[in-house]
Amino acid sequence: MARKWTFTDRRRPGRPGTRRPVKALIVRMARENPTWGHRRIRGELARLGYTIAASTVWEILHAAGIDPAPRRAGPTWRQFLAAHAHAMIACDFLVAETVLLKRLHVLIFIEHGTRRLHLAGVTAHPTGAWTAQQARNLAMDLVDRLTELRFLIHDRDPLFTSAFKAVFEAEGMGVVTTLPRTPRMNAICERVIGTLRRELLDRILILNERHLVFVLREYLIPYNGHRPHQSRQQRPPDIATQPSHDVADLSDQRTIRRKPVVAGMISEYHHAA
């Protein structure tokens, strides 16, 4: 039987009120679903067992300063990213300096849903044609995964030419260009660039372009196959589910083995055989 909520009865002393929780729930539904009007919210409440008049829902939304659905602002950028994370990939350029002060440009891609990192290419003289060719190479490598991706995010760098965008548009993907001076719109890619600097490039001397490619490819192996990610419940990008283990006894540290990788820059830990 549906539970009826009234807003006109006074609460008795010591009796928990119902008005505040219902108001909070209505406001929450409106903010989490920008396209829902007061009648749609009333219907969702009815499914939960809360019977309430549509006019009361409208009054609560009006008092909270929330406009009707047709005039309400659309989803925020964070809501958009959360809803489409599994279908998004982002790219950006990373700059590295060699021991001879030669500047190298690295084009990287990262999938939002899995956090899988891809190295597209390294060059000292990036051009629009070079960037487009790296996009074609990546599309060939991801031929089976491109069907799951729907959006590409990148900044307004002139190296991302129309030819570069056409590669992904031909695969049915939409290209989203970030606003000027808004790095947070490409926050996941910016964050992985910071990770690459802190964990690798700031701790090793790069000799030349060939050396940088070798080091980055070596880093991708533990990054995609071993490194835990908070957004994936501590799972690496290449592991769909976290394997179950018995509770380990850490009192004997000899059962834990350290494996240095990427010239000793990165450490991996495993149970001894």
Side-chain angles (χ1 to χ4, degrees):
M1 181 178 179
R3 191 174 182 180
K4 188 173 182 180
W5 298 96
T6 59
F7 291 83
T8 56
D9 296 338
R10 295 181 180 179
R11 290 176 290 174
R12 298 176 182 176
R15 181 182 176 184
T18 59
R19 179 167 185 153
R20 183 172 299 175
V22 175
K23 287 179 61 177
L25 181 59
I26 291 173
V27 173
R28 173 187 169 188
M29 286 183 173
R31 289 175 175 169
E32 293 178 348
N33 305 275
T35 61
W36 287 12
H38 63 283
R39 296 187 184 276
R40 176 67 176 84
I41 295 176
R42 181 208 179 195
E44 195 68 22
L45 289 171
R47 293 187 71 256
L48 294 174
Y50 302 115
T51 301
I52 184 174
S55 58
T56 304
V57 177
W58 183 90
E59 291 175 359
I60 293 174
L61 295 178
H62 181 73
I66 300 177
D67 293 330
R71 298 197 301 270
R72 202 179 307 159
T76 64
W77 183 247
R78 176 175 293 182
Q79 292 172 332
F80 176 80
L81 292 181
H84 299 281
H86 65 284
M88 303 189 74
I89 187 171
C91 65
D92 204 351
F93 278 97
L94 164 67
V95 177
E97 302 281 351
T98 68
V99 292
L100 299 178
L101 301 182
K102 182 179 181 181
R103 178 168 295 181
L104 299 176
H105 300 263
V106 183
L107 178 60
I108 62 171
F109 288 78
I110 184 169
E111 300 177 34
H112 279 205
T114 62
R115 294 299 197 271
R116 181 174 177 81
L117 183 62
H118 303 275
L119 172 63
V122 178
T123 183
H125 305 287
T127 62
W130 178 87
T131 306
Q133 184 58 48
Q134 305 314 307
R136 298 186 192 100
N137 296 342
L138 180 72
M140 293 179 62
D141 295 338
L142 298 179
V143 61
D144 296 331
R145 302 168 68 96
L146 281 180
T147 56
E148 303 175 3
L149 300 174
R150 295 179 53 198
F151 299 99
L152 168 71
I153 300 178
H154 64 76
D155 58 21
R156 295 176 176 268
D157 194 311
L159 293 174
F160 297 127
T161 62
S162 58
F164 172 86
K165 299 177 182 179
V167 174
F168 298 95
E169 291 173 346
E171 300 293 339
M173 296 175 58
V175 179
V176 180
T177 305
T178 61
L179 297 176
R181 300 181 182 180
T182 315
R184 293 184 62 181
M185 290 188 69
N186 200 6
I188 293 178
C189 204
E190 296 287 350
R191 183 180 179 87
V192 76
I193 288 176
T195 300
L196 284 168
R197 293 191 182 281
R198 289 188 301 271
E199 295 187 354
L200 184 65
L201 298 179
D202 289 347
R203 304 171 60 190
I204 191 171
L205 296 177
I206 301 299
L207 302 178
N208 49 39
E209 181 178 327
R210 183 178 179 181
H211 183 216
L212 179 58
V213 171
F214 174 80
V215 169
L216 289 174
R217 286 179 176 171
E218 286 291 309
Y219 179 81
L220 288 183
I221 297 174
Y223 184 92
N224 291 327
H226 182 85
R227 190 181 190 278
H229 291 263
Q230 294 182 12
S231 63
R232 289 177 49 78
Q233 290 75 50
Q234 308 305 330
R235 289 176 288 139
D238 286 347
I239 297 180
T241 59
Q242 189 72 281
S244 59
H245 296 289
D246 295 334
V247 178
D249 182 11
L250 301 181
S251 59
D252 186 1
Q253 298 294 324
R254 293 174 297 178
T255 62
I256 306 297
R257 294 286 187 266
R258 174 182 178 268
K259 178 184 177 182
V261 296
V262 195
M265 296 292 101
I266 308 296
S267 297
E268 293 182 0
Y269 293 88
H270 304 271
H271 289 282

